[in-house]
Amino acid sequence: MRTVFITGASSGIGAACAEVLASEGKYRLLLCARRTDKLQELQESIHAKYPTCAIHHFELDVRNQEDVATSLANLPADWKNIDILINNAGLSQGLDLFQDADIADWDRMIDTNVKGLLYVTKHSIPLMEQSEAPHIINLGSIAGKEVYPQGNVYCATKHAVDALTKAMRIDLLNKGIKVTSVDPGMVETEFSEVRFKGDKERAKNVYNGLTPLSGKDIAEIIAFVLSRPAHVNINDLLVMPTAQASGTIVRRDN
Ligand code: NDP
Ligand code: 8X3
């Protein structure tokens, strides 16, 4: 059994990863997010289908370095070894012209998507020392490959994830840790609702007239990435809905 640590497992891609990996019967799940009620619900629904799947969840705000360090240092004894880290926790806040954007939104994205990923990875690496097949998967984005109008700081944070994935791959080479970036285009999750601060109508319109990816689509790709033999690493995987050609070019059927 390999232990997989998924950040941001309370929703969307992270929750789907937990479900898909549980279904494979090869993984123990270490899950975190801020909303523990959602993690509890997820744990119960996974146990209803896969009663033997070992799951431990805990509350964590990845922006708080001290909490990241303490939570990982104080894991129960049988959860202190991690094989796989999925750095999934992340968000966008606002979609505004650079000159109009709210600086608090910028701080939140940088603190979560960049600094949070750094803190979690830094404090997880010592827990991966015992692993025979250590692997870090970072959730990048098409926004880490292109910059689109009003995407300014969200795109910058995902470009930072792209750079950090490459940097980790170089610096962790001698530790034998695989490092992969999975970079999706449009995935229908809570992402747009969070970006538009609870405006469900605006969030729904993002996917109007096209079939977006689902969290499960991405989770199945991550399961594939994890299933490669020891000598094979998928460095970078860009995946979009068929109806999306670039960060900004989409085909809508209405
Ligand atoms: P969701 O909003 O559905 O899920 C985001 C997850 O991140 C939630 O579980 C949330 O949990 C967690 N999270 C957010 N902030 C924090 C924090 N400070 N500490 C801990 N956990 C946090 O969105 P997605 O599933 O779509 O997003 C997952 C990742 O995929 C993100 O990194 C996103 O940038 C990336 N991505 C998404 C795409 C999309 O189109 N949806 C496309 C490309 C990449 P909680 O609120 O409970 O803390
Ligand atoms: C999230 C998807 O379209 O905002 O990374 O780049 S998008």
Side-chain angles (χ1 to χ4, degrees):
M1 284 281 168
R2 300 168 78 193
T3 299
V4 54
F5 175 30
I6 306 172
T7 67
S10 59
S11 163
I13 296 168
C17 284
E19 282 166 10
V20 168
L21 295 178
S23 77
E24 297 207 338
K26 297 184 292 199
Y27 300 97
R28 304 165 81 236
L29 305 177
L30 182 59
L31 310 175
C32 75
R34 292 166 302 178
R35 291 171 294 171
T36 47
D37 54 330
K38 296 269 182 195
L39 293 176
Q40 182 61 35
E41 275 172 33
L42 177 66
Q43 178 162 336
E44 284 166 17
S45 88
I46 291 174
H47 273 156
K49 285 191 237 164
Y50 315 105
T52 58
C53 182
I55 306 177
H56 178 71
H57 74 258
F58 61 99
E59 181 177 347
L60 184 65
D61 185 331
V62 297
R63 293 172 297 178
N64 187 322
Q65 201 223 147
E66 246 181 67
D67 285 354
V68 172
T70 313
S71 302
L72 292 179
N74 293 331
L75 283 170
D78 57 338
W79 289 96
K80 281 190 187 299
N81 293 317
I82 295 171
D83 296 289
I84 298 146
L85 165 63
I86 304 181
N87 273 316
N88 165 76
L91 82 181
S92 182
Q93 288 280 271
L95 186 65
D96 301 299
L97 292 172
F98 188 94
Q99 58 274 29
D100 298 333
D102 183 343
I103 288 178
D105 287 345
W106 288 356
D107 284 340
R108 202 154 170 228
M109 290 186 277
I110 292 167
D111 288 349
T112 309
N113 302 356
V114 184
K115 292 168 75 178
L117 179 142
L118 287 171
Y119 301 154
V120 169
T121 308
K122 177 87 169 129
H123 292 290
S124 295
I125 288 168
L127 305 180
M128 301 178 94
E129 295 285 348
Q130 308 297 319
S131 176
E132 283 173 13
H135 198 154
I136 296 171
I137 297 184
N138 294 329
L139 262 295
S141 170
I142 179 65
K145 306 290 181 187
E146 297 172 23
V147 177
Y148 52 80
Q150 297 159 296
N152 43 69
V153 171
Y154 178 70
C155 295
T157 66
K158 290 299 180 179
H159 276 69
V161 171
D162 192 51
L164 290 169
T165 300
K166 290 173 184 148
M168 287 178 197
R169 196 176 301 121
I170 295 165
D171 290 351
L172 297 173
L173 186 64
N174 287 341
K175 285 190 173 290
I177 302 182
K178 289 188 186 182
V179 185
T180 298
S181 177
V182 173
D183 306 310
M186 299 164 94
V187 190
E188 190 165 12
T189 60
E190 291 181 9
F191 178 85
S192 292
E193 212 178 307
V194 171
R195 167 174 260 173
F196 300 129
K197 302 175 182 174
D199 186 337
K200 288 188 198 296
E201 200 53 38
R202 193 172 172 199
K204 208 168 164 24
N205 280 339
V206 172
Y207 312 107
N208 198 16
L210 58 83
T211 305
L213 299 171
S214 66
K216 189 176 177 207
D217 291 324
I218 305 305
E220 287 174 347
I221 285 167
I222 288 175
F224 173 77
V225 166
L226 290 174
S227 72
R228 295 307 81 208
H231 67 289
V232 178
N233 182 44
I234 295 173
N235 283 0
D236 196 357
L237 199 153
L238 181 61
V239 52
M240 311 228 268
T242 306
Q244 182 176 17
S246 77
T248 48
I249 303 171
V250 297
R251 196 192 72 228
R252 297 185 197 270
D253 293 333
N254 55 9

